[in-house]
Amino acid sequence: MRQVRLIMGTGGTPTMPLLIAEGAGGELEGTSGAQPGIGKGDGVMIAGDVRTLAREYCQRGVTVQYSQYDLLAHIETAVPWIASAMPWLSDRFAGRPAPQDCSGIAAGNPLTPIAP
């Protein structure tokens, strides 16, 4: 059986603006940042990986608005994300241009695949 891996950013480029929220408080969920060179995450994603992906999409011309919540885990990050997503989406449906903060997204991790 062939194993398939999903690596974001390798299958194309989004054609719509993105609103990305990432937690970095996933210590209890297993992403404490204790491994050198990896950094903290939200229990599901590593914040440095998400920042790199967001910056890569910016370089490809995608409008990206990024927020990182250092004290929140993955599920907890949904609360501020929903609070910002509702007006963000309303503005898109109203035809207003999406905001972007590409220049303010901190550098992240290399996204080179890890050998199995």
Side-chain angles (χ1 to χ4, degrees):
M1 174 186 240
R2 182 176 168 211
Q3 185 177 9
V4 178
R5 296 179 188 260
L6 174 64
I7 301 174
M8 295 281 300
T10 60
T13 303
T15 58
M16 301 289 214
L18 298 176
L19 174 65
I20 300 173
E22 170 65 24
E27 290 85 7
L28 296 176
E29 292 82 0
T31 53
S32 67
Q35 292 183 293
I38 294 179
K40 294 183 174 192
D42 65 7
V44 175
M45 303 292 293
I46 302 298
D49 295 353
V50 176
R51 289 193 311 270
T52 298
L53 181 64
R55 290 167 56 101
E56 186 175 307
Y57 285 151
C58 288
Q59 290 174 350
R60 295 181 192 178
V62 179
T63 300
V64 176
Q65 185 174 356
Y66 175 86
S67 298
Q68 182 171 312
Y69 300 96
D70 291 332
L71 301 177
L72 301 179
H74 190 76
I75 298 299
E76 296 163 335
T77 299
V79 174
W81 179 81
I82 290 170
S84 62
M86 298 315 289
W88 189 90
L89 286 168
S90 292
D91 284 348
R92 301 302 69 74
F93 286 117
R96 291 187 275 281
Q100 66 87 17
D101 60 357
C102 290
S103 63
I105 302 172
N109 299 335
L111 294 182
T112 50
I114 298 171

